[in-house]
Amino acid sequence: LHLSVGGTISTGGVGQRSFRCGLQIDNVLELELIQENGNRLICSNSKNKALFDRARGGYGQFGMISKVKMRLEAAPKQVLVYKAIYDNANDFIQDQILLSAEYSVSAVQAHIVLNRREEIERRIGQTLSNENYSLLNDQSLWVFVLEISIYIYNPETLLSTKECQQEIFNRVLHC
C-alpha cells in the first residue's frame, strides 16, 4: 500500500467497517503534526482543537502527521468471509443496505467489476464453476461483488461456516 496511518488519516480513512465504527479520523484521540517550519505540535479535542479538526482529513495541508493515538477495537479470533456476485445493480444496492443493518455482519466491501470471467475470478480470488458463471447475465457489462465478513471474537459461539453462510444468505441476500 505504501501508506502510513498518518497518510490514511490525512485522507479520512474510509474502510469496510466505516459503517460500524466510523471513519478512521473519527477514532483519533490525539495526533502529532510536523509543520513546514519543523515545529511539532500535539493536537486533540482539548489541545489545539481547530488544528486537530483541520488536520484529520486535511490531505496534509496543515502538516505531516507523525504520531497518532487512536481508539482501537479487539481483533477477532476468526473471520468468516463470503463473496456474493450480482448482475443486477438494484439487488446489489439493496443487499448492501440490508447487510449494513444486520448486526451479525462485521464488514462489507463492494466492488463493481467488468463482466469478464477472468476479471470476476481475480476480484473474488477463486475460479468460478461453469455452472455458477452461467447464472450471470452475459448481456450485462458489469457485475457487482459484495465481500461480507463476520468477525468471531469468542470461538465457543462460532457457528459452523455452513450455518453462518446459510443464515446470511437466507435472511438477507438476493444473489
Side-chain angles (χ1 to χ4, degrees), residues 18-30:
S18 293
F19 76 103
R20 288 271 183 257
C21 305
L23 300 174
Q24 195 176 22
I25 61 175
D26 297 328
N27 293 286
V28 173
L29 303 172
E30 181 180 279

Side-chain angles (χ1 to χ4, degrees), residues 82-88 92 96 108-114 119-125 128 136 142-148:
Y82 305 99
K83 295 177 183 169
I85 304 172
Y86 300 78
D87 56 14
N88 178 299
F92 170 73
Q96 280 182 2
V108 178
Q109 191 162 8
H111 308 277
I112 301 173
V113 182
L114 194 59
E119 294 295 325
I120 298 167
E121 290 175 344
R122 188 173 58 77
R123 171 51 58 202
I124 65 170
L128 284 172
L136 295 173
W142 302 101
V143 295
F144 312 91
V145 179
L146 286 179
E147 185 174 296
I148 306 147

Side-chain angles (χ1 to χ4, degrees), residues 122-159:
R122 188 173 58 77
R123 171 51 58 202
I124 65 170
Q126 66 188 61
T127 304
L128 284 172
S129 68
N130 287 333
E131 179 185 354
N132 285 341
Y133 187 68
S134 70
L135 295 174
L136 295 173
N137 178 352
D138 60 357
Q139 300 302 308
S140 176
L141 180 60
W142 302 101
V143 295
F144 312 91
V145 179
L146 286 179
E147 185 174 296
I148 306 147
S149 300
I150 299 171
Y151 292 3
I152 307 298
Y153 294 94
N154 181 355
E156 287 92 42
T157 63
L158 177 63
L159 294 171

Side-chain angles (χ1 to χ4, degrees), residues 147-172:
E147 185 174 296
I148 306 147
S149 300
I150 299 171
Y151 292 3
I152 307 298
Y153 294 94
N154 181 355
E156 287 92 42
T157 63
L158 177 63
L159 294 171
S160 76
T161 301
K162 194 172 192 96
E163 288 173 310
C164 200
Q165 180 180 13
Q166 201 59 47
E167 179 182 334
I168 288 177
F169 280 77
N170 285 345
R171 288 195 300 149
V172 180

